[in-house]
Amino acid sequence: MSLIWGNYAVMERILRYVLLVFLGYIAAAFLAHPNWGDVLIHTLIPHFQATRPYITGALALLGTTLTSYAYVWESIEQETERPGIRRLGLVQIDAGAGAIVAGLIFWFILIATGATLGVHHKTVQSAEDAARALAPLAGQYAEILFGLGLLASAMLALPILAATNAFVLAEAFGWRRSLDVGFSRARGFYVSLVICLALAVGVTLVGVGPIQLLFLSSLAGGLGTPVTLVFLMLLARDQSVMGEHRINRLLAIAGWTVAGIVITACCLFLWQTFLP
């Protein structure tokens, strides 16, 4: 409701505290008692298989972590907060720290599920199944902490995804877009926001398994990520757009490397899908 009747500052304050719940994933990973030696070895020396399930999973993973929602929402934040040029360094540190924290949380999620569901070859069809399956393997507290983490993930993702869609639609049609103005001053923006939320509710009622739905949406995000990444890199290095604030050569090399990895994953997935 804070999306409709509140404002950006209210939503930011709420989501800031929701993030603290993600610490439950870290605790759940330790309660799962993994072999930390194996965890570190396989983290530093990844294993790759050129099989269809492996490549499909890798593309879904990339589509989730590098989704365009992340950097579109980052742009929306900067447009709303409008930090001064002098604060640009702090903005970059904040974005970098956020990416590192998100990566660490994801790492602990992998450890918690891999040391329990993965080792015992358990499959789940819903987030509730995933949380419940941890109880007999890692203890009741791991189940509770993991469930809280899943709840926090939903609370964080839903408003951001819906608001991002509304911002993109408003930008495309030239509507006024802001969470800081009332409904009467940005009707198109808020109507599209409500429609996005209604569609999300509708999808949950048609009977599609949430895990399957998340996986398919991650694949779609993975296939669309190269397009947005390439345009993002072109804009970031464009002198006429960025002026003296365009990214340096080292960061550009890193960005194009990531884009190349995602493009390669997409090509391998399409090749194995249509030319088995």
Side-chain angles (χ1 to χ4, degrees):
M1 294 300 293
S2 62
L3 284 174
I4 308 299
W5 307 114
N7 54 43
Y8 176 82
V10 172
M11 191 181 76
E12 182 187 36
R13 193 178 305 115
I14 294 173
L15 296 182
R16 186 183 302 165
Y17 290 107
V18 168
L19 287 173
L20 296 176
V21 184
F22 286 160
L23 297 176
Y25 283 131
I26 301 177
F30 281 97
L31 289 171
H33 302 294
N35 186 323
W36 288 105
D38 289 343
V39 169
L40 293 176
I41 290 175
H42 291 290
T43 298
L44 299 174
I45 308 174
H47 179 65
F48 181 79
Q49 296 178 356
T51 61
R52 182 174 180 180
Y54 198 96
I55 292 175
T56 303
L59 180 60
L61 176 61
L62 292 171
T64 300
T65 54
L66 298 176
T67 174
S68 57
Y69 284 106
Y71 32 89
V72 171
W73 180 253
E74 182 70 23
S75 300
I76 293 170
E77 283 187 314
Q78 302 315 312
E79 179 186 8
T80 303
E81 297 175 3
R82 296 188 180 277
I85 295 298
R86 293 182 179 180
R87 294 184 56 198
L88 184 59
L90 293 176
V91 171
Q92 292 173 334
I93 293 174
D94 179 67
I100 292 173
V101 171
L104 286 174
I105 294 298
F106 176 69
W107 187 61
F108 282 110
I109 293 173
L110 287 180
I111 295 172
T113 54
T116 51
L117 306 182
V119 170
H120 294 84
H121 305 289
K122 287 184 173 291
T123 58
V124 296
Q125 298 299 322
S126 68
E128 184 181 9
D129 292 341
R132 285 182 175 176
L134 290 177
L137 304 174
Q140 181 181 4
Y141 292 112
E143 174 195 8
I144 295 173
L145 290 170
F146 197 82
L148 288 174
L150 291 174
L151 177 61
S153 300
M155 292 176 62
L156 183 68
L158 184 60
I160 290 180
L161 294 179
T164 302
N165 282 329
F167 270 99
V168 171
L169 286 172
E171 176 69 24
F173 291 101
W175 302 332
R176 184 169 185 177
R177 57 196 186 281
S178 177
L179 291 170
D180 290 328
V181 299
F183 183 87
S184 60
R185 299 173 61 189
R187 288 188 179 88
F189 171 76
Y190 281 106
V191 167
S192 59
L193 177 58
V194 172
I195 290 175
C196 290
L197 292 173
L199 289 175
V201 173
V203 170
T204 63
L205 299 177
V206 297
V208 180
I211 300 299
Q212 181 184 10
L213 186 62
L214 285 172
F215 189 74
L216 292 177
S217 63
S218 298
L219 277 180
L223 292 172
T225 294
V227 179
T228 54
L229 270 182
V230 167
F231 280 112
L232 181 66
M233 291 306 303
L234 291 174
L235 286 172
R237 284 288 293 172
D238 193 313
Q239 182 74 40
S240 62
V241 175
M242 300 298 296
E244 61 179 8
H245 301 291
R246 68 175 183 165
I247 61 174
N248 58 46
R249 184 172 298 178
L250 181 61
L251 191 56
I253 291 174
W256 283 116
T257 300
V258 172
I261 292 173
V262 181
I263 291 172
T264 301
C266 287
C267 292
L268 288 174
F269 171 76
L270 294 173
W271 176 64
Q272 290 198 340
T273 300
F274 297 104
L275 296 173

